[in-house]
Amino acid sequence: MPARIVYLGLGSNLSDRLRNLQTAVQLIADRIKVNAVSGIYESKAEGYNNAPDFLNMVLAAETALPLENLLVLAKVTEAAMGRKISERNAPRIIDVDILCAEDEVPLDTPTLSVPHKAMHQRAFVLAPLNELCPQYIHQLTKKSVEEMLGELQGEDAEYWGELNMAF
C-alpha cells in the first residue's frame, strides 16, 4: 500500500496535559512520519461536570499502514502512556483518534470508523484540523472541514498555543 496522509486527533485532560501531548506526538513520530502539528486548543470535557478541561490538537502523518494497523499504533501509544480502559468520555491521560485519511474509502467496522463518526460535531477536532487541511472533504457529510467548523453553533475550542516540536 502506498503512503498517504492521515490525520490523528490527540487529547489530554489529566496530569501535565501539554507534556502528555508532546510525549504522544514523539511516540507516534518514532513509528510513522509526522509532517505537521496543529496548534493546541482547550475545551470542556464532555459529559463530566467537574472534569478538568482538555487540551486537543491534530497531527498530519504519512504512513503506508492500513488503518486497522494505525489503530493498533494509537492504542499502543495510549497504553505506553498509562491510559487505562475506562468509560466513554472519562478523563484520560491521552486519547489518540484516527480522524480521516487522504484518498480514503469510508470504513465502518465494530472497532474503527474513518472518517471519525463525530468529528463533524466537535470544534475541538475541527479547529485544529482546519489549520492543517481546511479543504479536506468529509466523505459522509460531503463538506469541507472549514464549512463544518463554520456551521457549529455553541461549540467552543479556545486556541491555547503551539506545541513547538521539531520533526
Side-chain angles (χ1 to χ4, degrees), residues 77-91:
T77 300
E78 292 174 347
M81 292 183 62
R83 179 168 175 187
K84 307 286 188 250
I85 295 175
S86 60
E87 59 189 270
R88 184 177 174 87
N89 295 329

Side-chain angles (χ1 to χ4, degrees), residues 13 40 85-86 117 149-150:
N13 75 332
I40 300 168
I85 295 175
S86 60
K117 283 186 176 182
L149 181 59

Side-chain angles (χ1 to χ4, degrees), residues 9-12 21 24 54 75 78 83 92-97:
L10 284 69
S12 176
L21 292 176
F54 270 89
K75 296 306 173 193
E78 292 174 347
R83 179 168 175 187
R92 49 202 171 267
I93 196 164
I94 195 69
D95 185 35
V96 180
D97 289 325

Side-chain angles (χ1 to χ4, degrees), residues 4 12 57 67 74 85 88-89 93 105 117 124 143-144:
R4 67 171 167 221
S12 176
M57 64 176 296
L67 293 176
I85 295 175
R88 184 177 174 87
N89 295 329
I93 196 164
V105 173
K117 283 186 176 182
F124 64 84
K143 295 178 182 175
S144 72

Side-chain angles (χ1 to χ4, degrees), residues 4-167:
R4 67 171 167 221
I5 304 298
V6 295
Y7 298 92
L8 304 178
L10 284 69
S12 176
N13 75 332
L14 293 178
S15 188
D16 186 337
R17 302 172 302 164
L18 181 59
R19 178 167 292 313
N20 293 342
L21 292 176
Q22 290 171 323
T23 301
V25 170
Q26 191 58 59
L27 288 171
I28 292 166
D30 288 346
R31 302 269 200 273
I32 61 176
K33 183 178 185 231
V34 173
N35 292 339
V37 295
S38 73
I40 300 168
Y41 292 77
E42 191 167 39
S43 64
K44 299 287 181 203
E46 291 182 6
Y48 286 84
N49 293 336
N50 295 321
D53 291 347
F54 270 89
L55 288 185
N56 301 281
M57 64 176 296
V58 170
L59 64 83
E62 190 173 335
T63 182
L65 288 175
L67 293 176
E68 293 84 356
N69 293 40
L70 189 59
L71 177 62
V72 171
L73 172 62
K75 296 306 173 193
V76 166
T77 300
E78 292 174 347
M81 292 183 62
R83 179 168 175 187
K84 307 286 188 250
I85 295 175
S86 60
E87 59 189 270
R88 184 177 174 87
N89 295 329
R92 49 202 171 267
I93 196 164
I94 195 69
D95 185 35
V96 180
D97 289 325
I98 301 170
L99 301 176
C100 54
E102 289 186 355
D103 303 324
E104 73 192 35
V105 173
L107 176 66
D108 192 11
T109 71
T111 57
L112 179 61
S113 294
V114 179
H116 190 285
K117 283 186 176 182
M119 72 180 245
H120 65 285
Q121 301 167 325
R122 297 176 171 166
F124 64 84
V125 170
L126 293 175
L129 188 61
N130 192 56
E131 289 182 32
L132 302 180
C133 59
Q135 298 310 311
Y136 166 82
I137 303 296
H138 190 284
Q139 296 294 315
L140 303 176
T141 67
K142 306 297 185 205
K143 295 178 182 175
S144 72
V145 169
E146 190 173 47
E147 289 172 307
M148 291 184 292
L149 181 59
E151 290 176 355
L152 287 181
Q153 301 283 330
E155 276 274 330
D156 195 27
E158 183 177 333
Y159 181 76
W160 198 76
E162 297 294 321
L163 191 57
N164 294 325
M165 291 181 72
F167 300 102

